[in-house]
Amino acid sequence: EETERKRQEEKAALEAVAQEAERRAAESEAEAAAAAQAEQERLRTEVAEAERKRLEERAALEATTKEAKRLAAESAAKAAALAEQERLRVEAEEKEQRRLEEIAALEAAAKEAERHAAESAAEAAAVIAAAHAEQERLRAEVAEAERKRLEEKAALEAATKEIERLAAESAAKAAAVVEQEQLRVE
């Protein structure tokens, strides 16, 4: 009974360790997936905001260009109108260059976030694999402990039967000696 109780306690402890490992692996996987999703959502929002700003800047630039053309047409000084147009063109090119640089930076950040997400997913998979391996090892240990218990039980039963047989032989011999003594007395 003491061996059985200890075996049950060891089995319960091993199962608790396995369950804790599975829980931690599940938490790590959920946290990694949530972090990756949040990062991707943030990058999508940034890209959408940059596109909105670009459209606003483009609309503002087009309005400014139209106004400049109207002023140039109305102005008597063609040279001033041409200079204004040149200035607006340079500004538009600079804004377009900045916009392209911002988009390139956002794309690089998105790729970096995807790489981090892939690394997090790989780490979560490694944690899950380690947890499964630990659980399998614990199952093997429980099975080995059960096998040893059964072997010990079988050995104990064999020893008990041998003791009972020897006791029966001893009782038979004692009865024969008593019988012989009674016969001798008679």
Side-chain angles (χ1 to χ4, degrees):
E1 289 176 356
E2 180 66 17
T3 302
E4 180 63 19
R5 184 184 63 79
K6 289 183 179 178
R7 187 186 68 79
Q8 291 292 338
E9 290 176 353
E10 291 174 353
K11 183 177 179 182
L14 291 174
E15 289 177 351
V17 171
Q19 290 177 357
E20 179 65 16
E22 287 179 351
R23 184 184 67 79
R24 290 183 180 175
E27 288 178 355
S28 298
E29 184 178 8
E31 289 174 358
Q37 186 173 2
E39 182 65 15
Q40 288 180 351
E41 190 62 29
R42 185 184 67 79
L43 290 173
R44 287 194 192 98
T45 302
E46 289 181 358
V47 170
E49 182 66 16
E51 182 64 17
R52 185 186 64 78
K53 289 182 179 178
R54 185 188 68 80
L55 292 175
E56 288 178 355
E57 290 174 355
R58 181 177 176 182
L61 180 61
E62 288 176 355
T64 303
T65 303
K66 288 179 182 179
E67 182 67 13
K69 288 180 179 179
R70 187 184 65 81
L71 292 173
E74 292 175 355
S75 176
K78 186 177 181 181
L82 291 175
E84 181 65 12
Q85 285 181 348
E86 182 63 18
R87 184 184 68 79
L88 292 174
R89 187 187 65 79
V90 171
E91 285 183 358
E93 288 179 353
E94 289 176 353
K95 287 182 179 180
E96 181 66 13
Q97 182 63 30
R98 285 196 297 269
R99 185 187 67 82
L100 293 175
E101 290 174 355
E102 288 174 357
I103 290 175
L106 289 174
E107 289 176 350
K111 289 181 181 179
E112 183 66 14
E114 289 177 354
R115 186 182 66 81
H116 282 304
E119 288 178 355
S120 298
E123 289 175 357
V127 170
I128 292 172
H132 285 309
E134 179 66 14
Q135 188 177 17
E136 191 62 29
R137 185 184 68 79
L138 292 174
R139 286 199 188 98
E141 288 182 358
V142 169
E144 180 66 17
E146 180 66 15
R147 185 186 64 77
K148 289 182 179 178
R149 185 188 68 80
L150 293 175
E151 288 178 355
E152 290 173 356
K153 182 179 179 182
L156 181 60
E157 289 175 352
T160 302
K161 288 181 180 179
E162 182 65 19
I163 290 171
E164 289 175 353
R165 186 184 66 77
L166 293 174
E169 288 180 357
S170 296
K173 288 180 181 179
V177 170
V178 171
E179 180 68 24
Q180 288 179 353
E181 184 63 23
Q182 285 179 352
L183 294 174
R184 186 184 65 75
V185 171
E186 289 175 358

